[in-house]
Amino acid sequence: MRDNPLNVVIVGGSLAGLMHGVMIKRLGHNELLRKIDHCDGEYALLSPGIQYVDTDLNVTGYRKVTQMLTSWNVLYYRLRANFDGFQSDYCTKSREELEEQGEAVYNIGKRVTDVTYTDCLVTVKFDDLINGGRGHLQPDLRPYAGYLKWRGTVAEKDVTEETKALFNEKVTLNVMDHSYIVLYTIPGESGSFKPGERLLNFVWYCNCPEDSSEFKNAMTDIDGHFHRSTLPPGKMREDVWAR
Ligand SMILES: *[C@@H]1O[C@H](CO)[C@@H](O)[C@H](O)[C@H]1NC(C)=O
């Protein structure tokens, strides 16, 4: 441990926040060169390349470029294990094993209410409600990027051999006018990388202006509530789904 360890507050506890947290914690212990990830096993699978397909799934192009594929869950739970010793099926590191490093606390359910900068000092005020941090830190950030994403996963065990052979750990792209679909393999339950236990993850990006009726329809749920960023599972209106 350093002689004068700093107390550091990280606002936002998703992947980027946790990565900073793990780094700062290890820095506090002055062991920069030690392997950062203390969990066993894989955290990503290596994809051999990107293939392009048309609407009939004919392969029209291939680019050999290795990429690491993983899921939010795998990274999140491994980072939590490394940060505050949180135990899950993804990684079971105990607090004791991490004890000689800096202390780390993961606080959920806090809302940032104010951020002030004076010379070298940043003051963060928070209360016990959820979310709102990013809005205070970056009030000018435009929240809508200009496209809708339709996303989902299919278990590898639920598809035919033919489908499995077509996708086979490659990143698959179907590029259309103002839109494209990307599909790739991600780890399955508890972070399993075993073939047959993994998931095929697809995301369909559609350009869609914020003020269009298409955007408003898609983001208004079966109860008539308009959502700004994500429609909860099972809440899509049938007429939107039918299109
Ligand atoms: C896919 O390939 C088949 C067989 O070569 C061809 O008949 C079909 O037109 C192709 N599909 C597209 C969308 O080009």
Side-chain angles (χ1 to χ4, degrees), residues 53-60:
V53 297
D54 61 24
T55 44
D56 287 337
L57 295 179
N58 298 320
V59 177
T60 57

